[in-house]
Amino acid sequence: MTPVSSHSPHGQSPLRTVQVLGGGNAGSSVHVRSLASGLVARGVRVTVCAPAEADHLYGFSGVGAEHVEVPRSSDPGSVAALRAACADADLVHAHGLHASFRAVLALSGRRTPLVVTWHDRAYAEGARAHLVRLLERRVAKAASVVLGTTSALVDRARRTGARDARLAAVSLPGPRRTVEHEHDEAERLSPKVRAELGATGRPLLIAVGSLDRHRGYEVLLDAARVWRRLDPLPLVVIAGEGPLRGELQRRIEEEGLPVRLIGRRDDVRELLAAADLALLPSRWEARSVLAQEALHARVPLIATDVGGLPELVGDAAELVPYGHPQALAEAVVRLLADAERCEVLRERGLRQAATWPTEDETVAQVLSVYDELTQPRPLI
């Protein structure tokens, strides 16, 4: 006799879920891989609908999920492919605004429960900002449950019309080693990494993220002009790709700024381990992966006082106003000269990181939502 999954909605067959990704955001993609792995381990059937390159990068198939290629766009072919993939799903879980909107279209006319996770805000200006607000409203009203990765996103979902919005438990996936192991590894790798980046004998400041307007890299370049007077001269290294690369590179060269753009990297933990400070100058962040990695790696973090960052880091980082290069520069200069304050931030960072949910807790919360939405209701 075939064993029945403890998470079967009707006591007959394993729960079948479809995870829908837009394909762009690294944080949501890593989260879905972790979630898929945990759900499969608990007997849930998982299909991940995402562009082909997303499966190549994040390996959903490698953790036991079925991958169905669905392009990013909202054209009729894309929605039809998603609709077919969701045909026998007990529940659909979409991640991000655009993926969620396509899921709403694909499930039109069906009673399949839809869970939506908002990992971050969608960025838009002008007429496109109005479109984004319309999409948010449509998605929030259609979803059975909206999970927000920060309190601000939960509030936004409620204001937009969500009937049930909750704070999501979202872990930082990946093997976490002991503090002693992390420290020993950093000591071993740091000289090599620093030499590669050109930071031998000078402070190394690391920023990570796509080269988009909302990341605040123009402000970071403004700040870098201020600390050019320091000796030794700090080097800022920005890991990431995006539409602003040309504009940023031109400024770096024309103004002689001590900044390097090194493109997309898959060794962010090694970069952080070699860094003296981590910088996060964004206009908005929800549950920043860089902030979490920095605190885990015991790297003092300077971040903007925006979005979900204060909630995420507590008193374990230096927070500065967004769009204020002088404040950012002063925080950098102050921390580079204050070893005692840096050590305080390192210790607070470890304590703060210990309060974040684990991968098991994240999967358990999501599974409880799934069970709630798929268990048969008694007839009244």
mmCIF file of all heavy atoms in Angstrom, residues 172-199:
data_model
loop_
_atom_site.group_PDB
_atom_site.id
_atom_site.type_symbol
_atom_site.label_atom_id
_atom_site.label_comp_id
_atom_site.label_asym_id
_atom_site.label_seq_id
_atom_site.Cartn_x
_atom_site.Cartn_y
_atom_site.Cartn_z
ATOM 1 N N LEU A 172 17.546 32.904 5.558
ATOM 2 C CA LEU A 172 18.678 33.071 4.654
ATOM 3 C C LEU A 172 19.203 31.676 4.360
ATOM 4 O O LEU A 172 19.876 31.080 5.197
ATOM 5 C CB LEU A 172 19.762 33.926 5.312
ATOM 6 C CG LEU A 172 21.027 34.157 4.489
ATOM 7 C CD1 LEU A 172 20.698 34.949 3.226
ATOM 8 C CD2 LEU A 172 22.087 34.876 5.299
ATOM 9 N N PRO A 173 18.894 31.121 3.181
ATOM 10 C CA PRO A 173 19.275 29.733 2.909
ATOM 11 C C PRO A 173 20.779 29.557 2.780
ATOM 12 O O PRO A 173 21.530 30.511 2.566
ATOM 13 C CB PRO A 173 18.584 29.436 1.563
ATOM 14 C CG PRO A 173 17.531 30.475 1.427
ATOM 15 C CD PRO A 173 18.097 31.691 2.113
ATOM 16 N N GLY A 174 21.178 28.306 2.890
ATOM 17 C CA GLY A 174 22.589 27.982 2.714
ATOM 18 C C GLY A 174 23.189 27.480 4.005
ATOM 19 O O GLY A 174 22.722 27.806 5.092
ATOM 20 N N PRO A 175 24.237 26.661 3.908
ATOM 21 C CA PRO A 175 24.871 26.112 5.107
ATOM 22 C C PRO A 175 25.507 27.199 5.938
ATOM 23 O O PRO A 175 26.272 28.020 5.436
ATOM 24 C CB PRO A 175 25.936 25.150 4.544
ATOM 25 C CG PRO A 175 26.217 25.674 3.172
ATOM 26 C CD PRO A 175 24.922 26.260 2.681
ATOM 27 N N ARG A 176 25.171 27.246 7.208
ATOM 28 C CA ARG A 176 25.771 28.219 8.126
ATOM 29 C C ARG A 176 26.791 27.487 8.999
ATOM 30 O O ARG A 176 26.459 26.560 9.740
ATOM 31 C CB ARG A 176 24.695 28.856 9.002
ATOM 32 C CG ARG A 176 23.650 29.575 8.192
ATOM 33 C CD ARG A 176 23.777 31.068 8.353
ATOM 34 N NE ARG A 176 24.958 31.604 7.741
ATOM 35 C CZ ARG A 176 24.988 32.112 6.510
ATOM 36 N NH1 ARG A 176 23.920 32.093 5.759
ATOM 37 N NH2 ARG A 176 26.100 32.615 6.016
ATOM 38 N N ARG A 177 28.014 27.886 8.901
ATOM 39 C CA ARG A 177 29.061 27.238 9.671
ATOM 40 C C ARG A 177 29.218 27.919 11.022
ATOM 41 O O ARG A 177 28.621 28.953 11.282
ATOM 42 C CB ARG A 177 30.376 27.286 8.884
ATOM 43 C CG ARG A 177 30.298 26.505 7.584
ATOM 44 C CD ARG A 177 31.486 26.797 6.683
ATOM 45 N NE ARG A 177 31.444 28.158 6.189
ATOM 46 C CZ ARG A 177 32.316 28.643 5.318
ATOM 47 N NH1 ARG A 177 33.284 27.872 4.863
ATOM 48 N NH2 ARG A 177 32.235 29.898 4.905
ATOM 49 N N THR A 178 30.046 27.353 11.866
ATOM 50 C CA THR A 178 30.261 27.948 13.181
ATOM 51 C C THR A 178 31.010 29.267 13.028
ATOM 52 O O THR A 178 31.696 29.510 12.036
ATOM 53 C CB THR A 178 31.089 27.009 14.081
ATOM 54 O OG1 THR A 178 32.397 26.872 13.497
ATOM 55 C CG2 THR A 178 30.436 25.646 14.200
ATOM 56 N N VAL A 179 30.880 30.122 14.033
ATOM 57 C CA VAL A 179 31.576 31.403 14.005
ATOM 58 C C VAL A 179 33.081 31.180 13.891
ATOM 59 O O VAL A 179 33.785 31.869 13.140
ATOM 60 C CB VAL A 179 31.251 32.215 15.278
ATOM 61 C CG1 VAL A 179 32.107 33.468 15.331
ATOM 62 C CG2 VAL A 179 29.773 32.563 15.313
ATOM 63 N N GLU A 180 33.605 30.178 14.625
ATOM 64 C CA GLU A 180 35.036 29.911 14.588
ATOM 65 C C GLU A 180 35.472 29.488 13.197
ATOM 66 O O GLU A 180 36.516 29.917 12.691
ATOM 67 C CB GLU A 180 35.390 28.813 15.608
ATOM 68 C CG GLU A 180 35.205 29.217 17.060
ATOM 69 C CD GLU A 180 33.761 29.165 17.532
ATOM 70 O OE1 GLU A 180 32.907 28.683 16.764
ATOM 71 O OE2 GLU A 180 33.481 29.621 18.658
ATOM 72 N N HIS A 181 34.662 28.648 12.560
ATOM 73 C CA HIS A 181 34.979 28.189 11.202
ATOM 74 C C HIS A 181 34.948 29.367 10.236
ATOM 75 O O HIS A 181 35.831 29.514 9.389
ATOM 76 C CB HIS A 181 33.976 27.111 10.763
ATOM 77 C CG HIS A 181 34.384 26.412 9.514
ATOM 78 N ND1 HIS A 181 34.429 25.046 9.406
ATOM 79 C CD2 HIS A 181 34.764 26.885 8.288
ATOM 80 C CE1 HIS A 181 34.819 24.700 8.192
ATOM 81 N NE2 HIS A 181 35.019 25.810 7.486
ATOM 82 N N GLU A 182 33.918 30.211 10.356
ATOM 83 C CA GLU A 182 33.804 31.379 9.486
ATOM 84 C C GLU A 182 35.040 32.273 9.645
ATOM 85 O O GLU A 182 35.601 32.767 8.666
ATOM 86 C CB GLU A 182 32.541 32.191 9.847
ATOM 87 C CG GLU A 182 31.240 31.485 9.549
ATOM 88 C CD GLU A 182 30.814 31.623 8.097
ATOM 89 O OE1 GLU A 182 31.578 32.185 7.300
ATOM 90 O OE2 GLU A 182 29.715 31.157 7.774
ATOM 91 N N HIS A 183 35.436 32.486 10.904
ATOM 92 C CA HIS A 183 36.570 33.368 11.166
ATOM 93 C C HIS A 183 37.856 32.790 10.582
ATOM 94 O O HIS A 183 38.641 33.498 9.936
ATOM 95 C CB HIS A 183 36.723 33.589 12.668
ATOM 96 C CG HIS A 183 37.853 34.501 13.027
ATOM 97 N ND1 HIS A 183 37.808 35.855 12.809
ATOM 98 C CD2 HIS A 183 39.080 34.237 13.563
ATOM 99 C CE1 HIS A 183 38.947 36.407 13.199
ATOM 100 N NE2 HIS A 183 39.728 35.446 13.663
ATOM 101 N N ASP A 184 38.075 31.494 10.787
ATOM 102 C CA ASP A 184 39.287 30.848 10.262
ATOM 103 C C ASP A 184 39.318 30.907 8.741
ATOM 104 O O ASP A 184 40.371 31.153 8.146
ATOM 105 C CB ASP A 184 39.337 29.392 10.725
ATOM 106 C CG ASP A 184 39.569 29.275 12.232
ATOM 107 O OD1 ASP A 184 39.962 30.296 12.848
ATOM 108 O OD2 ASP A 184 39.330 28.191 12.790
ATOM 109 N N GLU A 185 38.165 30.677 8.131
ATOM 110 C CA GLU A 185 38.083 30.701 6.668
ATOM 111 C C GLU A 185 38.362 32.109 6.144
ATOM 112 O O GLU A 185 39.046 32.295 5.138
ATOM 113 C CB GLU A 185 36.678 30.248 6.236
ATOM 114 C CG GLU A 185 36.571 29.874 4.771
ATOM 115 C CD GLU A 185 37.198 28.526 4.438
ATOM 116 O OE1 GLU A 185 37.830 27.910 5.321
ATOM 117 O OE2 GLU A 185 37.075 28.095 3.289
ATOM 118 N N ALA A 186 37.817 33.109 6.843
ATOM 119 C CA ALA A 186 38.045 34.499 6.435
ATOM 120 C C ALA A 186 39.530 34.850 6.527
ATOM 121 O O ALA A 186 40.085 35.497 5.636
ATOM 122 C CB ALA A 186 37.225 35.442 7.312
ATOM 123 N N GLU A 187 40.174 34.415 7.615
ATOM 124 C CA GLU A 187 41.601 34.691 7.789
ATOM 125 C C GLU A 187 42.417 34.070 6.650
ATOM 126 O O GLU A 187 43.390 34.658 6.168
ATOM 127 C CB GLU A 187 42.077 34.124 9.134
ATOM 128 C CG GLU A 187 41.562 34.881 10.343
ATOM 129 C CD GLU A 187 42.265 36.213 10.510
ATOM 130 O OE1 GLU A 187 43.502 36.260 10.385
ATOM 131 O OE2 GLU A 187 41.562 37.215 10.732
ATOM 132 N N ARG A 188 41.999 32.881 6.205
ATOM 133 C CA ARG A 188 42.751 32.185 5.164
ATOM 134 C C ARG A 188 42.544 32.814 3.789
ATOM 135 O O ARG A 188 43.486 32.978 3.013
ATOM 136 C CB ARG A 188 42.320 30.704 5.131
ATOM 137 C CG ARG A 188 43.110 29.846 4.166
ATOM 138 C CD ARG A 188 42.671 28.401 4.246
ATOM 139 N NE ARG A 188 41.321 28.216 3.757
ATOM 140 C CZ ARG A 188 41.005 28.099 2.458
ATOM 141 N NH1 ARG A 188 41.949 28.190 1.535
ATOM 142 N NH2 ARG A 188 39.751 27.900 2.085
ATOM 143 N N LEU A 189 41.290 33.186 3.473
ATOM 144 C CA LEU A 189 40.967 33.657 2.128
ATOM 145 C C LEU A 189 41.161 35.150 1.928
ATOM 146 O O LEU A 189 41.394 35.605 0.807
ATOM 147 C CB LEU A 189 39.511 33.308 1.798
ATOM 148 C CG LEU A 189 39.177 31.835 1.585
ATOM 149 C CD1 LEU A 189 37.688 31.668 1.372
ATOM 150 C CD2 LEU A 189 39.943 31.275 0.400
ATOM 151 N N SER A 190 41.058 35.924 3.000
ATOM 152 C CA SER A 190 41.046 37.381 2.865
ATOM 153 C C SER A 190 42.223 37.953 2.092
ATOM 154 O O SER A 190 42.034 38.779 1.188
ATOM 155 C CB SER A 190 40.961 38.043 4.239
ATOM 156 O OG SER A 190 39.663 37.884 4.770
ATOM 157 N N PRO A 191 43.469 37.566 2.394
ATOM 158 C CA PRO A 191 44.589 38.168 1.656
ATOM 159 C C PRO A 191 44.486 37.944 0.142
ATOM 160 O O PRO A 191 44.758 38.849 -0.649
ATOM 161 C CB PRO A 191 45.818 37.475 2.248
ATOM 162 C CG PRO A 191 45.387 37.021 3.610
ATOM 163 C CD PRO A 191 43.942 36.662 3.451
ATOM 164 N N LYS A 192 44.080 36.743 -0.252
ATOM 165 C CA LYS A 192 43.962 36.426 -1.679
ATOM 166 C C LYS A 192 42.879 37.273 -2.338
ATOM 167 O O LYS A 192 43.065 37.844 -3.417
ATOM 168 C CB LYS A 192 43.649 34.938 -1.850
ATOM 169 C CG LYS A 192 43.470 34.510 -3.292
ATOM 170 C CD LYS A 192 43.118 33.040 -3.370
ATOM 171 C CE LYS A 192 42.835 32.636 -4.821
ATOM 172 N NZ LYS A 192 42.417 31.216 -4.918
ATOM 173 N N VAL A 193 41.710 37.366 -1.682
ATOM 174 C CA VAL A 193 40.597 38.137 -2.228
ATOM 175 C C VAL A 193 40.961 39.610 -2.299
ATOM 176 O O VAL A 193 40.716 40.288 -3.306
ATOM 177 C CB VAL A 193 39.314 37.924 -1.387
ATOM 178 C CG1 VAL A 193 38.195 38.840 -1.868
ATOM 179 C CG2 VAL A 193 38.883 36.464 -1.443
ATOM 180 N N ARG A 194 41.569 40.126 -1.240
ATOM 181 C CA ARG A 194 41.937 41.542 -1.210
ATOM 182 C C ARG A 194 42.974 41.872 -2.287
ATOM 183 O O ARG A 194 42.910 42.916 -2.927
ATOM 184 C CB ARG A 194 42.452 41.924 0.176
ATOM 185 C CG ARG A 194 41.372 41.856 1.262
ATOM 186 C CD ARG A 194 41.966 42.118 2.639
ATOM 187 N NE ARG A 194 42.266 43.526 2.808
ATOM 188 C CZ ARG A 194 41.447 44.405 3.395
ATOM 189 N NH1 ARG A 194 40.271 44.007 3.869
ATOM 190 N NH2 ARG A 194 41.788 45.663 3.521
ATOM 191 N N ALA A 195 43.902 40.956 -2.508
ATOM 192 C CA ALA A 195 44.906 41.182 -3.546
ATOM 193 C C ALA A 195 44.255 41.203 -4.921
ATOM 194 O O ALA A 195 44.576 42.049 -5.770
ATOM 195 C CB ALA A 195 45.975 40.098 -3.480
ATOM 196 N N GLU A 196 43.329 40.282 -5.147
ATOM 197 C CA GLU A 196 42.631 40.219 -6.434
ATOM 198 C C GLU A 196 41.874 41.520 -6.716
ATOM 199 O O GLU A 196 41.823 42.003 -7.848
ATOM 200 C CB GLU A 196 41.649 39.044 -6.439
ATOM 201 C CG GLU A 196 40.793 38.953 -7.702
ATOM 202 C CD GLU A 196 39.416 38.351 -7.454
ATOM 203 O OE1 GLU A 196 39.294 37.515 -6.532
ATOM 204 O OE2 GLU A 196 38.479 38.732 -8.170
ATOM 205 N N LEU A 197 41.294 42.097 -5.665
ATOM 206 C CA LEU A 197 40.482 43.305 -5.833
ATOM 207 C C LEU A 197 41.328 44.587 -5.815
ATOM 208 O O LEU A 197 40.805 45.666 -6.095
ATOM 209 C CB LEU A 197 39.429 43.379 -4.721
ATOM 210 C CG LEU A 197 38.391 42.249 -4.720
ATOM 211 C CD1 LEU A 197 37.507 42.349 -3.482
ATOM 212 C CD2 LEU A 197 37.547 42.284 -5.984
ATOM 213 N N GLY A 198 42.606 44.477 -5.472
ATOM 214 C CA GLY A 198 43.451 45.663 -5.404
ATOM 215 C C GLY A 198 43.308 46.401 -4.098
ATOM 216 O O GLY A 198 43.453 47.636 -4.051
ATOM 217 N N ALA A 199 43.036 45.676 -3.012
ATOM 218 C CA ALA A 199 42.794 46.317 -1.722
ATOM 219 C C ALA A 199 43.834 45.925 -0.674
ATOM 220 O O ALA A 199 43.575 46.034 0.522
ATOM 221 C CB ALA A 199 41.397 45.969 -1.219
#
